[in-house]
Amino acid sequence: MGSSGFSWKLEDYSKLEKGKIIALIVLDGWGEANPDQYNCIHVAETPVMDSLKKGAPDRWRLVRAHGKAVGLPTEDDMGNSEVGHNALGAGRIYAQGAKLVDLALASGKLYDGEGFSYIKESFETGTLHLIGLLSDGGVHSRLDQLQLLIKGASDRGAKRIRVHILTDGRDVLDGSSVGFVETLENDLSKLRETGVDAQIASGGGRMYVTMDRYENDWGVVKRGWDAQVLGEAPYKFRSAVEAVKKLREGPKASDQYLPPFVIVDEDGKAVGPIVDGDAVVTFNFRADRMTMLAKALEYENFDNFDRVRFPKIRYAGMLQYDGELKLPSRYLVSPPEIERTSGEYLTYNGVRTFACSETVKFGHVTFFWNGNRSGYFNAEMEEYVEIPSDSGITFNEQPLMKAVEIAEKARDAILSRKFHQVRVNLPNGDMVGHTGDIEATIVACKAADKAVKIILDAIEQVGGIYVVTADHGNAEDMVKRDKKGEPLLKDGKIQILTSHTLQPVPIAIGGPGLAPGVRFRKDVPEGGLANVAATVMNLHGFVAPSDYETTLIEVVDE
């Protein structure tokens, strides 16, 4: 029995045989949308995925991967890889990121917590610094939450506030940064009228400044550190609106890749470097692109770049970004407590697991899949393999990414017969889709399809089962659309969409090991990613715990 009175022993699903090798493939950013020239999945040669869709109608369906189906506040909220993999692994729907923060702000609970009390101790004599993505995209942060946090902090004694902005253009339209900066500047101006010294202090584009992830390129974080902490950057301006407008005039300039800048006073001195005695809050609620900065702000022993100065500050994240590393140690909003994930249950019940992806998505099939938990449940039962991602380039320059290498690792794991579950994430559709490069995204989708074939061929050899699904949409719609669904034009050119979408994603099951009578149920029309865990547990020969979202499959006698 577990500590809470539940049993770790899963009930057998007697209609299905145990011990089959299951390949669980997550195609990142692979949604289902109407076929047109902006649907890169449709345009690309994807014979394997096409065959799954056409081959057996009762073994292919769509599931919901956004909004309330993955714990986000509204149906207008795009899914993302973190909440998607949380749902896939946990088998239940948890209030996530934005929703947690919304609840904590609305109730005032955020201001009563230990994290806020900790940073508040700097308000009397120090500066409150807020660092994060200035956007209403709702994937990493939201402008309205930042606005509420600034007001809440000033109401509770913050006398000097500096905001270090990161421009988006990835989860929202490129060019929208100017409007967001103007909105924030207007708020800060009104705050100054009340006697609070509030200003934007620095900035830069999210993909070039601060927001790297999975330790792919520490130079990105260093550029942010130099501007935010040292007050040094190659560009200096008197206002952030001027900074963004000017820097966007450069050749090939985009919000995502704006160079770092600092705001200076009339003497040319930076208005807001972080110094001893200050408080810092990283206000992104999503973890992956704040963890590296969190390490730089918190770890005394740190050698990933020369920080020059390591100020003695009070630091808190909007949320805790890594539960296993306890990073950051202070945070404003408690994370969802995801326990008893499918991976943990299956490990307890003898299912040996192999998980693999490349660096940019490795955490998704491990950390997020396991309920925001690092490491193994049982090192003797699990093996996780990370393939280093390309660094120092944008992914449209190498759209093949490491899809084949991931697939080959999965193939070898399957053919070794050492594992019952081989789980992978193929990042191409998402990572290349985010660049907005349609031609490169078409190449990326073809590469992912080729990788799926390598894995399915191995499953065929061992008489196994496959489950192919996705975590959210992206590559299936690369253009911004009007209310009628027609592409939006600006100056005669289509407006490229670089963000995730609200589209459903496919799930397909099959393979020689799948019993003939297995098919998708017709009575779960609103099924979402959280239903996948119970489905996979069934295929392993077990019944999911009673509080899991229901399985998508049934077994009919033939």
Side-chain angles (χ1 to χ4, degrees), residues 211-435:
M211 281 176 59
D212 190 50
R213 63 177 172 188
Y214 305 143
E215 307 200 3
N216 204 41
D217 185 355
W218 277 101
V220 173
V221 184
K222 184 185 187 321
R223 284 190 281 272
W225 182 273
D226 290 351
Q228 297 147 6
V229 179
L230 306 181
E232 297 173 0
Y235 295 94
K236 297 177 181 179
F237 294 92
R238 290 298 307 278
S239 85
V241 173
E242 179 195 7
V244 173
K245 285 182 175 178
K246 279 283 185 197
L247 292 174
R248 279 190 52 79
E249 291 174 1
K252 296 185 178 179
S254 69
D255 287 350
Q256 292 190 56
Y257 288 94
L258 288 187
F261 61 86
V262 293
I263 305 305
V264 296
D265 61 19
E266 56 194 10
D267 298 322
K269 186 177 177 184
V271 300
I274 298 169
V275 299
D276 288 355
D278 287 349
V280 176
V281 171
T282 45
F283 62 81
N284 284 18
F285 46 71
R286 179 164 149 179
D288 59 344
R289 293 190 183 275
M290 279 289 113
T291 302
M292 292 166 71
L293 175 58
K295 289 178 178 177
L297 288 168
E298 186 147 314
Y299 287 171
E300 191 158 342
N301 297 318
F302 178 91
D303 60 4
N304 297 104
F305 61 83
D306 181 4
R307 293 182 292 193
V308 184
R309 278 194 301 109
F310 179 46
K312 296 180 176 65
I313 59 170
R314 294 179 178 273
Y315 166 53
M318 181 67 94
L319 292 139
Q320 186 166 62
Y321 299 133
D322 189 326
E324 188 72 11
L325 294 175
K326 301 289 186 279
L327 182 75
S329 56
R330 315 273 182 160
Y331 42 92
L332 304 187
V333 180
S334 296
E337 295 180 8
I338 301 178
E339 55 171 12
R340 299 185 296 109
T341 62
S342 60
E344 190 168 13
Y345 268 113
L346 291 170
T347 298
Y348 268 96
N349 285 271
V351 174
R352 301 178 69 86
T353 302
F354 177 90
C356 176
S357 189
E358 61 176 281
T359 306
V360 291
K361 296 291 181 179
F362 175 68
H364 296 77
V365 283
T366 54
F367 175 79
F368 291 110
W369 196 280
N370 292 336
N372 307 332
R373 181 190 187 280
S374 296
Y376 295 114
F377 293 116
N378 181 341
E380 295 179 5
M381 296 288 293
E382 300 170 276
E383 183 179 339
Y384 301 160
V385 173
E386 175 184 353
I387 296 169
S389 288
D390 296 318
S391 62
I393 61 166
T394 53
F395 288 105
N396 57 324
E397 294 177 49
Q398 291 281 5
L400 303 183
M401 299 184 66
K402 306 298 178 187
V404 169
E405 291 91 331
I406 294 166
E408 288 173 344
K409 290 287 186 187
R411 175 198 64 199
D412 294 347
I414 291 165
L415 297 181
S416 75
R417 300 177 190 262
K418 284 168 38 181
F419 304 98
H420 303 100
Q421 183 181 114
V422 174
R423 181 170 72 233
V424 301
N425 178 297
L426 299 172
N428 306 59
D430 188 50
M431 297 307 298
V432 184
H434 275 312
T435 69

Side-chain angles (χ1 to χ4, degrees), residues 75-88:
E75 297 307 323
D76 292 327
D77 289 314
M78 296 176 287
N80 65 59
S81 299
E82 285 64 45
V83 301
H85 285 79
N86 273 172
L88 285 165

Side-chain angles (χ1 to χ4, degrees), residues 89-159:
R92 288 148 291 158
I93 300 169
Y94 285 84
Q96 286 286 352
K99 191 171 185 178
L100 286 173
V101 176
D102 285 341
L103 293 170
L105 284 166
S107 66
K109 190 176 177 183
L110 182 149
Y111 304 111
D112 299 329
E114 291 180 16
F116 190 82
S117 296
Y118 175 66
I119 63 160
K120 190 178 176 182
E121 291 181 42
S122 293
F123 287 2
E124 189 63 37
T125 57
T127 300
L128 170 63
H129 298 266
L130 301 168
I131 305 174
L133 186 67
L134 188 68
S135 167
D136 65 4
V139 176
H140 292 270
S141 65
R142 281 217 323 267
L143 174 60
D144 61 324
Q145 292 180 349
L146 172 63
Q147 291 171 300
L148 287 170
L149 185 59
I150 290 171
K151 183 179 187 306
S154 62
D155 288 347
R156 288 162 179 81
K159 297 184 176 70

Side-chain angles (χ1 to χ4, degrees), residues 47-63:
V48 178
M49 290 302 293
D50 291 347
S51 70
L52 297 186
K53 182 176 180 179
K54 296 170 185 171
D58 54 0
R59 291 182 177 177
W60 186 94
R61 63 161 290 173
L62 298 174
V63 288

Side-chain angles (χ1 to χ4, degrees), residues 394-503:
T394 53
F395 288 105
N396 57 324
E397 294 177 49
Q398 291 281 5
L400 303 183
M401 299 184 66
K402 306 298 178 187
V404 169
E405 291 91 331
I406 294 166
E408 288 173 344
K409 290 287 186 187
R411 175 198 64 199
D412 294 347
I414 291 165
L415 297 181
S416 75
R417 300 177 190 262
K418 284 168 38 181
F419 304 98
H420 303 100
Q421 183 181 114
V422 174
R423 181 170 72 233
V424 301
N425 178 297
L426 299 172
N428 306 59
D430 188 50
M431 297 307 298
V432 184
H434 275 312
T435 69
D437 185 330
I438 290 178
E439 291 303 318
T441 306
I442 292 168
V443 174
C445 293
K446 181 178 179 180
D449 192 75
K450 180 180 177 182
V452 173
K453 183 178 192 312
I454 292 169
I455 297 169
L456 298 196
D457 285 350
I459 282 294
E460 190 73 26
Q461 287 186 56
V462 300
I465 298 169
Y466 61 76
V467 179
V468 183
T469 189
D471 57 348
H472 55 75
N474 185 333
E476 80 287 354
D477 195 6
M478 298 283 290
V479 67
K480 192 79 175 171
R481 298 180 185 273
D482 61 23
K483 291 180 180 178
K484 294 180 181 178
E486 297 299 319
L488 278 173
L489 300 176
K490 186 175 183 181
D491 299 328
K493 295 181 180 179
I494 60 159
Q495 292 194 53
I496 295 294
L497 185 70
T498 58
S499 69
H500 299 166
T501 70
L502 302 175
Q503 300 291 355

Side-chain angles (χ1 to χ4, degrees), residues 154-167:
S154 62
D155 288 347
R156 288 162 179 81
K159 297 184 176 70
R160 195 167 187 271
I161 298 171
R162 293 293 181 267
V163 188
H164 304 265
I165 63 169
L166 303 166
T167 52

